[in-house]
Amino acid sequence: MQATAPTSPAPVLPTLLFKAVRLLILILALIESGLIFTPASEAAEVNSQEQAIFNLVQGEPRQNRASLELDPILCAVAQAKAADMAARGYFAHVDPNGRGANTLVRNAGYVLPANYSTALGANNIESLAAGYATVNGVWNDWMNSAPHRMHLLAESDFFAAQTSIGVGFVNAPGSEFQYYWVVITAPPSGPQLTITSPESGTDVNDSFVTVTGTTGGEPTAAAVQVRVENTNGEGPWVAADGVAAWTANVDGLIAGANTLRVQTLAADGTVLRDGVRNIHYAVLSPLTINVTGEGRITRGFAGTTMREAAASYTVTATAKPGSLFAGWTGGVTTLARTITFTLPEGGLTLDARFIPNPFAAGVGAYSGLFTSTDGTRGALSVSLNRNGGFTARLRIGSEKVALKGRFDAAGAAQVSATSKSGATYTLALHYTNDAGEIALSGTISSAGWSADVTLDALSKPSPTQHPNAGRYTLVIAPSEGPDMPAGDSIAIVGVSKTGTASVAGALADGTPFTARGRLTDNGTLQVFVPVYRREGLVTGTLNFRTQAVSDIDGTLSWSRPAQPEAATFPAGFAIEVAAVGSRYTAPANNQPIVPVSSGVNNTSLGLSDGGLAAPVVQPTTLTPSNMLTISAPTVSGLTAMINTRRGDFSGKFVHPQTGTVTTIRGVILQKQGAGFGFFAGGSDAGYATFAPTGVQTALIAE
C-alpha cells in the first residue's frame, strides 16, 4: 500500500542512535536468515505508542474484523522495518535491498497464504507513516486515505481475513522524519483451527453434543477429529464431516466438567493443530418447593424448577408480618430459615411451612423456681422474642448457666449447656398460646435429678404506676426447733413505679441478704438468694396482695450449711419459714409510727430467747416526734431508736449471760401496729419486739 509522508529536511542521524538502529537491523537480518525465530505462542512485546495504535485499529467502530490479535513475529518485523527506515534514510514499502513486506515476514518464518505474491518487493499487508509525533496524528492521516482505511479497517474480504497484526514505532531524533509508524496485518500463520460451537463454558443438558468449526491456513488440513475427555478418561476419536467447515457429533459426556479436544490432520496423519473447548454437562433434575402459609422463599425457587443435579443451592424462607416460619420438611428437616443442600439426580421435594405467629403475644420475660427430685433448688428465667427465640438463665446454688434456643412450631424446645464446674444441664421447654392465654413450663435435668418448673410472666413496664409500687416492711418468722435461730428475720422491700422490687434485709442469725427482680403479672416476687458464700440459700415466692393483717405473704426456704468451726449453729439447718409484710407509710410530723397513747412508758421493747435467762420487757416512751426513750433500763447498755423513713427500729444491749454487746434489729408492721425482729450476738439469737403498751406482740400470719 502507498503511504503518506510529509516533506521535511533530513537532519544528520546522531551517532548513538545510529548504533542502536544498526543493532535492530542486525536482529532483523538474523530473523530473515532463520538464525532467530520468534514462535507464535510467545506474547508480542510493544511499547506504549505501538499499544495505542493497536487499540485504535482494534477499537475503531468501523472495524470489519471480528477480532485482532497481536502477533510477535509480525510485531518484530514491523518494529525492525520502522528502525530500518530511520537508520537508512528511506520511507517506502520496498527497502533499499528491494524487499517488500511479504518477503520480510516470510523470511522471519511467518507463513502467508499461497495466493499472496512471492515477488521480492510485494506488499499485501503493510501500511506506513512518517513524521507524525502523535498517535492521533498518524491515525487521522490513515483514516483520510482510502487505501490505508481499506487495509486497516478491512473494507474488503481480502483484508478481513487478516486477523493477526504487528505494529512498530521508532522515535529517531536526527533522522529524516524522526517518527516512523508501521502496521502489518496478515492471516494467522500456518494451519488454522477454529471451534465455533459450543462456546467455552457452555452448559449442555445431554451426554451428546455437536461440535462445529473451520480450518484454514497452510498447509491445508486433510481431516478433523474430535473426542471427549473427562474424569472417565479419553473417549474415542470421532471423524468430523467436512474440513474447511466441519461438524462432529460426539457422545460420552458425564455430569460436570468435560473437555472437547479437536485436531486437524495432514494427509499423512500428522497433527497440524490441536484445540480444546471446555464445557459443562448439567444433568437436570426437578426441585419442588411447596410454600404453606403466609411467607415466601428465595425468588425463583417456588414450585417446580429444573436444576442441575449434584449442584449446591441455598434457599431462605421469610415470613410475612404476623406469621412465623415453622420449618422445612421433606428432603430437609430443620427450623433454620436458610438451608443449603445438594440436589440429587432423582430430584428433591421440600416444604416451607409458615404459621400464624403464636409467640408475638408472649414476648417478654418469665421466671420460675423449682425443687428437683433430689432436693436441689434452683431458679430459671427466660426472655422470649416475637419469633420464638429465647435466652434463659439457670441458677442452682453458686452455678449460673446461660442457655439459648428457639421454639418449634409446636411450641417445644430443648437446649443444653455446660457450667464452669463441668456439669451439663438440659432444659426442655413448652410454650402454649390458648386463645391468648400464655403458658410456659418445662423440665430441667442434670446427672441424677430432674425438676419440673412453671414460669410466670413478669410484669411489663407501663406508663402508669405499678399497682404494687411503694415501700414495705417484711418479717420472716422462725421455725421452732433445736439448733435453729430464734427471732424474726427482717427486710425492707421497695417496688418501683415500673414493678421492679428490691429487697434488703438480715436473717435472724445476722446474715445480710439482698434480692432484686420484677414482679410477675399476678403480683408475686420470686426470691432466690444464695447466702453463706453461696453454700446456703433463701428462696421462695412472696405474694403482694392486700389482706387484713398483711400486704405481703409467702413461704421461704432457708438453708444454712454445716460449718463445724462456726460459733453459731455449726450443724446448719434447712427450714421452711413464713413471711408476712405490710405497706409502710412514713408518718407525718408529730404523728406516731404506730397508734399509741400519750404519756410516759406508752410502748415496750421485748427481748426473749437468745440465751437470756428470762424474757425482758422494757418499758419505753414513744414521743410525738417518734423518739424512743428508756428511763430505767432493765439490762445494761440498752438503747433503741426508730427510723421513720425506713420503717425499722434498732438498738443494742450488753448480754447479761455473755457480757457481749448485742445488736437489735427489727421492722414495724403498720398493719399489725407492732414491730418484730431479732437480736444476735454471742452464740445464739433471740426475738426482739416493739409494741404499744398492752398490745399483743405475737406475729399474725394469714
Side-chain angles (χ1 to χ4, degrees):
M1 297 180 63
Q2 298 301 312
T4 302
T7 57
S8 60
V12 179
L13 191 66
T15 302
L16 289 177
L17 176 62
F18 180 78
K19 290 181 178 179
V21 173
R22 292 300 296 171
L23 179 60
L24 285 172
I25 294 171
L26 176 60
I27 293 173
L28 180 60
L30 290 172
I31 291 174
E32 292 175 354
S33 66
L35 296 178
I36 294 179
F37 174 71
T38 307
S41 61
E42 293 184 2
E45 295 184 3
V46 295
N47 60 36
S48 59
Q49 290 88 348
E50 292 163 349
Q51 182 65 52
I53 280 294
F54 171 73
N55 292 343
L56 287 171
V57 176
Q58 183 184 50
E60 168 61 46
R62 294 171 292 174
Q63 178 61 256
N64 290 296
R65 297 178 180 90
S67 63
L68 271 171
E69 184 174 352
L70 281 170
D71 183 272
I73 295 178
L74 297 182
C75 283
V77 173
Q79 292 157 0
K81 176 63 178 288
D84 187 47
M85 288 191 294
R88 296 205 279 177
Y90 72 95
F91 178 64
H93 291 296
V94 180
D95 69 11
N97 300 103
R99 297 170 300 185
N102 289 18
T103 298
L104 293 178
V105 299
R106 283 191 171 112
N107 288 347
Y110 196 93
V111 179
L112 291 176
N115 63 331
Y116 279 43
S117 174
T118 57
L120 184 63
N123 170 40
N124 299 118
I125 55 177
E126 182 182 78
S127 282
L128 304 176
Y132 293 99
T134 66
V135 171
N136 288 336
V138 68
W139 184 251
N140 290 336
D141 178 74
W142 279 337
M143 292 300 98
N144 290 326
S145 166
H148 290 88
R149 192 171 58 249
M150 178 176 292
H151 169 226
L152 296 173
L153 302 185
E155 294 179 343
S156 70
D157 291 342
F158 179 82
F159 291 123
Q162 297 178 355
T163 57
S164 294
I165 185 172
V167 288
F169 167 77
V170 167
N171 177 5
S175 63
E176 181 177 3
F177 298 109
Q178 184 171 342
Y179 305 102
Y180 298 85
W181 306 83
V182 180
V183 175
I184 297 175
T185 61
S189 178
Q192 301 301 310
L193 168 64
T194 301
I195 303 173
T196 56
S197 69
E199 294 183 0
S200 182
T202 294
D203 281 344
V204 298
N205 304 126
D206 201 317
S207 63
F208 175 91
V209 65
T210 298
V211 189
T212 64
T214 60
T215 64
E218 299 290 341
T220 303
V224 179
Q225 60 184 12
V226 183
R227 75 179 179 197
V228 174
E229 299 174 359
N230 48 43
T231 55
N232 283 351
E234 299 173 346
W237 288 108
V238 175
D241 294 330
V243 177
W246 53 268
T247 299
N249 297 316
V250 293
D251 204 349
L253 301 182
I254 63 172
N258 294 265
T259 296
L260 301 173
R261 184 170 298 279
V262 182
Q263 291 182 343
T264 60
L265 306 175
D268 62 0
T270 301
V271 176
L272 299 177
R273 285 292 190 211
D274 185 288
V276 296
R277 182 58 49 88
N278 294 316
I279 62 173
H280 183 264
Y281 175 23
V283 177
L284 297 183
S285 294
L287 172 62
T288 301
I289 301 183
N290 301 312
V291 177
T292 303
E294 295 298 313
R296 63 181 184 276
I297 61 173
T298 301
R299 184 189 297 272
F301 279 89
T304 299
T305 55
M306 299 300 294
R307 297 182 181 270
E308 181 180 355
S312 178
Y313 298 93
T314 298
V315 183
T316 298
T318 303
K320 294 181 180 179
S323 291
L324 181 73
F325 178 61
W328 295 95
T329 56
V332 176
T333 301
T334 180
L335 289 175
R337 291 178 53 244
T338 299
I339 56 172
T340 299
F341 56 91
T342 299
L343 180 64
E345 286 195 20
L348 183 68
T349 297
L350 299 171
D351 296 288
R353 191 163 66 92
F354 300 89
I355 61 174
N357 188 350
F359 302 109
V363 170
Y366 299 79
S367 67
L369 303 173
F370 61 86
T371 302
S372 72
T373 51
D374 70 348
T376 298
R377 294 182 181 273
L380 176 67
S381 59
V382 174
S383 179
L384 176 67
N385 68 31
R386 64 178 299 103
N387 293 320
F390 64 87
T391 56
R393 187 176 72 158
L394 179 64
R395 291 185 294 164
I396 298 177
S398 60
E399 297 255 79
K400 292 182 180 179
V401 184
L403 304 104
K404 185 177 182 179
R406 181 179 296 278
F407 288 102
D408 62 21
Q414 181 168 308
V415 291
S416 296
T418 301
S419 69
K420 291 182 179 179
S421 69
T424 298
Y425 299 93
T426 299
L427 171 62
L429 285 177
H430 189 68
Y431 171 94
T432 60
N433 181 353
D434 186 6
E437 292 292 327
I438 309 299
L440 188 59
S441 61
T443 301
I444 303 160
S445 59
S446 188
W449 62 264
S450 64
D452 294 331
V453 60
T454 298
L455 294 106
D456 294 324
L458 301 185
S459 60
K460 298 179 176 63
S462 169
T464 60
Q465 181 167 292
H466 194 280
N468 299 116
R471 182 180 292 275
Y472 300 80
T473 52
L474 182 70
V475 175
I476 305 171
S479 177
E480 300 293 339
D483 202 25
M484 294 182 186
D488 296 310
S489 303
I490 61 169
I492 303 296
V493 181
V495 178
S496 71
K497 294 179 179 180
T498 59
T500 297
S502 58
V503 181
L507 299 173
D509 62 359
T511 302
F513 71 95
T514 60
R516 183 177 176 84
R518 292 191 62 79
L519 269 61
T520 65
D521 281 345
N522 53 13
T524 64
L525 175 64
Q526 294 170 355
V527 177
F528 187 87
V529 183
V531 287
Y532 310 111
R533 297 182 179 179
R534 296 187 175 274
E535 294 181 5
L537 184 67
V538 175
T539 183
T541 300
L542 297 177
N543 305 298
F544 286 73
R545 54 187 176 180
T546 301
Q547 300 189 93
V549 296
S550 67
D551 297 298
I552 308 175
D553 65 88
T555 301
L556 300 177
S557 296
W558 176 13
S559 63
R560 171 172 168 149
Q563 299 171 311
E565 73 286 356
T568 58
F569 317 110
F573 52 81
I575 56 178
E576 299 291 310
V577 291
V580 178
S582 170
R583 277 189 182 270
Y584 176 74
T585 303
N589 290 337
N590 296 318
Q591 178 182 338
I593 193 169
V594 293
V596 295
S597 61
S598 60
V600 178
N601 296 333
N602 56 359
T603 56
S604 64
L605 179 66
L607 304 172
S608 63
D609 292 322
L612 293 176
V616 174
V617 179
Q618 174 65 55
T620 57
T621 300
L622 183 66
T623 69
S625 61
N626 286 297
M627 296 292 292
L628 197 60
T629 61
I630 302 174
S631 58
T634 57
V635 291
S636 175
L638 179 62
T639 62
M641 62 177 294
I642 291 177
N643 186 326
T644 56
R645 183 181 65 83
R646 290 168 47 88
D648 60 353
F649 65 93
S650 59
K652 62 183 178 179
F653 67 97
V654 177
H655 199 289
Q657 273 64 50
T658 66
T660 60
V661 176
T662 304
T663 59
I664 301 170
R665 296 187 64 182
V667 295
I668 305 296
L669 296 185
Q670 287 181 319
K671 269 199 170 181
Q672 299 196 20
F676 305 89
F678 67 93
F679 64 86
S683 61
D684 207 346
Y687 292 93
T689 59
F690 170 77
T693 301
V695 173
Q696 174 68 31
T697 56
L699 180 67
I700 303 173
E702 291 187 345

